[in-house]
Amino acid sequence: VDGNPVNGLSDWKLIDCVPAGDDFSGKGAKIRMSRNDSLRVELTYLLYPGLPLIRKSITISNHGKQDHYIEALTIEDLNTRFNLTSTWVYQKYARQIHIGNFEGNWDDAVVVFHDHELQAGMAVGNEMPGVLKRIAYHLPEHLSAGTTLPGQDFPFRKWLKPGESWKSPSTFLALYKSGSASEVMNTTVNEYVRKFMGIRLSQLDHKPQFVYNTWYPFRTFVNDSLVRDIALAAAECGIQEFVIDDGWQVNDSGNTPGKPWGGNYGDWLVDRKKFPGDLKSTFDYIRSLGMKPGLWISIGSATADSKVFKEHPEWFVKNYLNSPGNLHYVTDSSDFYTSCFGTEWFGYIKKVIIDLVKEHGLAYAKLDLSVVTSAYVEDPRVSGCYDSHHPYHRDREESYIVIYERVLRLFDELHKEAPSLFIDCTFETAGKLQMQDFAFAMHADGNWLSNFEEDFPVGALRVRQMAWWRTPAMPASSLVIGNQAMDNTDFLFSLKSLIGTLPIVLGDPRKLSGEQRAEIRNWSDWMQQMQEKYDYMSFRQDLPGFWEPGEGAWDGWQRINTDTRKGGIMGVFRQGAMESSRTVFITGLAPDRTYTIHKAPGKNVIYEATGKSLAEKGFQVEFNRMTDGNIFEVSGE
């Protein structure tokens, strides 16, 4: 506080301890304390039904007469029995093993510490947004979780005026004994995130299952006639959501520059040269084909020719040169600027999106490009907002948390006013390459995580690798992994790989034959049937005995409904492995119930056994091709 250390050993006076709870079955205690300088803290501890996990947050209030600033907030600071030499640190979404002293970054929303001597461990989660999260071990603290520190690339700071309070995002601890890192992630952490954290996906009545996006290969060169042609072909393939990417928009000047990207940002008017009947006409046609319409929008960008930039230059970030800044790319040819959510830009862009919903029927919003820091710029000075006169942040250090919090608040307010709007927030908006975290999963429905345009078999492998790297830490169906094209070689292999997350496809479906479209439609219908039967989009677990997807190996995943135990789906893949068959084991089933295994998308029974047998003995999967894969239904009905 104000540059001086304050911790649990400081001069605190207990005010009271009262019961606490949340909207997701959490129950616990709230401990309130004060200091002589009128600083007050409120520690909230929550437990959840049946889980060895505790969630903690801190609320800090200024009851004095002077401003205070908070830095280096450590929510958990634990002296554990874990020994440095016998403990493995599972970092990067709890997927990569690290040995020794550790300091995590934005990719460490959850870290598992496993002590081999004790045969016990702890998963430590951090719900701080984006680049502000920090989990550390033996530096010099034994184990801590909270915000970034002064001197780091993206330091946390929060100012409090007299009478102001600020509640931190939470951390959580999940304990286990006689288990493993993968086991605690696939069980306790997975169940907490799905049931009790409050992620958006768990609150959706309808989860998108098969989405098309125009970005590849059309880039910004889209128009009404092209979209209608593509939409008709996409609908024949069973696509459910159809998203028009960059290129639909024009600024108030009315110029259409014809750039592959980076033009006409800010005013977000429909380009009537491309869409003479306005977007409503195009959207009505998309809906008539049975699909929901979507749009790409950069939520924090405006080009120099936009009306909003000309009229409100004060709404944009100042860079370290005290000029309007571009946080996305720093190049000589860059002609767009990044808005600051610490200004009234918030209300402006909210109105833009709500108007698109109300006037045109927008159902899916892909919200993109950097607002805090870039996934591509390595200079940390090109981040945050240096303007000291913006109404909602006092300095650059405070701008990080303010921008993040107001972006997440924007998502909440959009959901409140447009409950059926699906928000796909990209990793670029989150701030780092292919990053997803708990904060964004709690406020946005999905995260466009990548752009893999490689053809068979490389693209499909990259899809499964990305899915494996981010799950089970992150909700699988929040991971929107592009850009596999429908007209690529062996597209069905890519589709099978995509079914492990949220399938989004690109390419030109007009190039597909009627037979190919019907085959893809068959898969789409099957996915809808499986979702209705098992709600598999709410689940994903590692497949026992399979590890990271890679060349010369087998890999797989399962999406079993562990609540009803009625079954689910699973995927198994051979990626150039020398052995042509593998034994596959399935967990999460009812031991005494009999299950049938069907090869998708048909109904042929290939195996039948009890849940206990499938977990302990498994069944054989064989591929004659060196690179192949299958999806299976696991039915216990």
Side-chain angles (χ1 to χ4, degrees):
V1 179
D2 303 331
N4 300 310
V6 175
N7 58 37
L9 301 178
S10 301
D11 186 19
W12 294 101
K13 178 183 178 181
L14 178 66
I15 298 175
D16 59 18
C17 177
V18 297
D22 63 15
D23 295 332
F24 301 98
S25 302
K27 292 183 179 180
K30 188 177 293 184
I31 302 169
R32 294 187 284 204
M33 301 178 292
S34 66
R35 291 198 335 151
N36 294 332
D37 59 6
S38 297
L39 183 75
R40 295 186 183 180
V41 300
E42 186 177 274
L43 309 179
T44 301
Y45 299 85
L46 296 175
L47 296 169
Y48 295 89
L51 293 183
L53 178 147
I54 188 164
R55 190 184 202 182
K56 180 180 176 182
S57 64
I58 298 182
T59 300
I60 304 172
S61 304
N62 183 359
H63 289 256
K65 297 181 180 180
Q66 298 179 344
D67 294 356
H68 294 293
Y69 65 88
I70 311 300
E71 294 179 308
L73 177 62
T74 301
I75 301 172
E76 288 294 357
D77 190 356
L78 304 173
N79 183 12
T80 75
R81 292 179 60 196
F82 296 156
N83 185 287
L84 182 65
T85 59
S86 63
T87 297
W88 279 6
V89 179
Y90 289 80
Q91 61 165 337
K92 305 298 182 191
Y93 303 89
R95 284 306 201 189
Q96 297 181 16
I97 296 173
H98 173 87
I99 301 174
N101 299 27
F102 171 76
E103 183 172 38
N105 63 14
W106 47 83
D107 282 331
D108 291 300
V110 60
V111 177
V112 179
F113 300 86
H114 179 79
D115 190 308
H116 293 279
E117 288 184 357
L118 299 174
Q119 280 298 293
M122 177 188 299
V124 180
N126 193 338
E127 300 172 26
M128 202 69 60
V131 296
L132 294 179
K133 63 179 72 72
R134 179 179 183 269
I135 296 177
Y137 178 65
H138 279 288
L139 286 174
E141 65 270 58
H142 201 80
L143 196 160
S144 65
T147 71
T148 48
L149 309 180
Q152 290 191 286
D153 287 345
F154 311 105
F156 165 84
R157 180 181 292 169
K158 179 62 184 175
W159 282 90
L160 295 176
K161 296 178 181 178
E164 284 188 337
S165 297
W166 178 75
K167 182 179 180 180
S168 76
S170 299
T171 60
F172 64 84
L173 306 176
L175 310 177
Y176 66 91
K177 182 180 179 181
S178 300
S180 66
S182 61
E183 184 178 353
V184 72
M185 292 299 300
N186 278 280
T187 54
T188 302
V189 174
N190 193 305
E191 187 170 351
Y192 163 67
V193 173
R194 178 171 55 85
K195 286 185 176 181
F196 306 120
M197 179 179 278
I199 61 171
R200 279 290 307 170
L201 277 171
S202 295
Q203 303 170 57
L204 294 181
D205 293 330
H206 168 80
K207 298 177 179 65
Q209 289 176 257
F210 201 18
V211 185
Y212 175 83
N213 181 283
T214 64
W215 177 244
Y216 175 78
F218 303 106
R219 306 307 187 200
T220 60
F221 304 104
V222 293
N223 57 54
D224 178 70
S225 61
L226 174 67
V227 166
R228 288 173 185 259
D229 287 347
I230 301 168
L232 180 60
E236 292 176 0
C237 295
I239 293 294
Q240 299 167 25
E241 284 82 15
F242 187 97
V243 182
I244 303 172
D245 211 283
D246 194 356
W248 62 269
Q249 75 282 356
V250 71
N251 281 334
D252 188 65
S253 62
N255 297 323
T256 304
K259 298 173 64 175
W261 82 285
N264 290 330
Y265 298 169
D267 295 338
W268 303 109
L269 305 173
V270 179
D271 189 340
R272 291 299 189 93
K273 296 176 184 177
K274 294 182 174 183
F275 297 90
D278 210 348
L279 273 180
K280 187 177 187 308
S281 173
T282 311
F283 279 8
D284 285 347
Y285 179 73
I286 291 171
R287 275 189 292 269
S288 75
L289 298 172
M291 300 182 294
K292 295 181 178 181
L295 285 179
W296 174 93
I297 304 165
S298 178
I299 63 168
S301 305
T303 42
D305 65 333
S306 66
K307 181 179 179 181
V308 67
F309 181 77
K310 293 175 181 177
E311 293 185 352
H312 294 285
E314 74 278 9
W315 287 355
F316 292 80
V317 301
K318 287 290 183 64
N319 61 23
Y320 64 93
L321 300 175
N322 200 36
S323 301
N326 177 355
L327 299 184
H328 194 73
Y329 279 131
V330 183
T331 66
D332 293 336
S333 61
S334 172
D335 65 348
F336 71 88
Y337 302 97
T338 303
S339 68
C340 178
F341 271 82
T343 69
E344 297 311 319
W345 172 270
F346 177 100
Y348 169 79
I349 195 64
K350 175 185 171 182
K351 184 178 184 305
V352 166
I353 298 170
I354 290 297
D355 285 349
L356 288 167
V357 173
K358 293 180 177 179
E359 295 174 13
H360 303 294
L362 180 68
Y364 188 115
K366 178 186 175 184
L367 304 180
D368 199 11
L369 303 191
S370 303
V371 294
V372 178
T373 185
S374 176
Y376 313 108
V377 179
E378 296 181 358
D379 186 347
R381 294 178 300 173
V382 185
S383 63
C385 178
Y386 288 78
D387 196 310
S388 60
H389 301 291
H390 281 173
Y392 295 96
H393 67 83
R394 191 172 302 196
D395 48 35
R396 178 192 176 221
E397 288 79 3
E398 190 182 28
S399 75
Y400 293 114
I401 188 63
V402 166
I403 293 171
Y404 272 129
E405 287 183 334
R406 285 173 65 80
V407 167
L408 299 176
R409 177 184 155 194
L410 171 67
F411 299 159
D412 292 343
E413 294 191 10
L414 290 173
H415 283 130
K416 185 176 181 180
E417 295 191 33
S420 61
L421 179 67
F422 186 90
I423 295 177
D424 175 357
C425 172
T426 72
F427 70 87
E428 293 175 341
T429 298
K432 284 297 174 183
L433 187 64
Q434 296 160 352
M435 180 180 73
Q436 168 69 314
D437 65 19
F438 297 128
F440 281 86
M442 285 187 280
H443 298 274
D445 307 284
N447 180 321
W448 186 290
L449 203 60
S450 60
N451 296 285
F452 301 146
E453 296 178 0
E454 297 87 353
D455 202 346
F456 172 88
V458 177
L461 173 60
R462 295 193 70 191
V463 166
R464 300 199 310 280
Q465 285 174 331
M466 179 56 62
W468 186 88
W469 290 338
R470 298 296 180 261
T471 58
M474 295 297 129
S477 295
S478 74
L479 308 180
V480 186
I481 303 179
N483 289 354
Q484 292 295 280
M486 302 180 76
D487 52 311
N488 271 356
T489 306
D490 207 341
F491 166 71
L492 289 182
F493 185 68
S494 295
L495 179 58
K496 293 171 186 177
S497 300
L498 289 164
I499 291 173
T501 53
L502 168 57
I504 189 162
V505 295
L506 294 86
D508 190 345
R510 298 174 303 174
K511 295 181 179 180
L512 300 174
S513 67
E515 183 180 354
Q516 289 173 313
R517 296 181 196 185
E519 190 174 18
I520 297 171
R521 179 60 183 255
N522 194 26
W523 275 97
S524 175
D525 292 344
W526 178 83
M527 287 189 283
Q528 292 181 60
Q529 293 167 12
M530 294 302 100
Q531 177 62 15
E532 291 171 3
K533 288 178 67 173
Y534 307 113
D535 187 24
Y536 75 86
M537 295 288 287
S538 295
F539 301 84
R540 173 169 160 146
Q541 307 91 13
D542 290 336
L543 199 60
F546 293 81
W547 198 237
E548 178 179 353
E551 293 289 354
W554 285 72
D555 64 269
W557 42 261
Q558 59 176 44
R559 307 192 75 169
I560 300 297
N561 188 320
T562 52
D563 289 342
T564 66
R565 304 284 182 104
K566 291 181 179 180
I569 68 173
M570 57 177 293
V572 183
F573 302 87
R574 179 186 182 187
Q575 190 76 27
M578 296 307 295
E579 64 267 43
S580 61
S581 66
R582 280 287 301 265
T583 302
V584 177
F585 303 87
I586 309 174
T587 57
L589 302 174
D592 297 331
R593 183 179 293 175
T594 298
Y595 294 85
T596 54
I597 311 295
H598 307 266
K599 180 182 174 183
K603 282 293 182 182
N604 292 334
V605 176
I606 65 169
Y607 195 73
E608 188 174 271
T610 63
K612 185 175 187 295
S613 177
L614 288 170
E616 296 177 356
K617 298 180 180 179
F619 71 101
Q620 287 293 115
V621 173
E622 183 174 358
F623 297 125
N624 294 322
R625 295 170 59 191
M626 292 291 288
T627 301
D628 206 348
N630 274 332
I631 310 297
F632 301 90
E633 176 187 0
V634 183
S635 176
E637 294 185 338

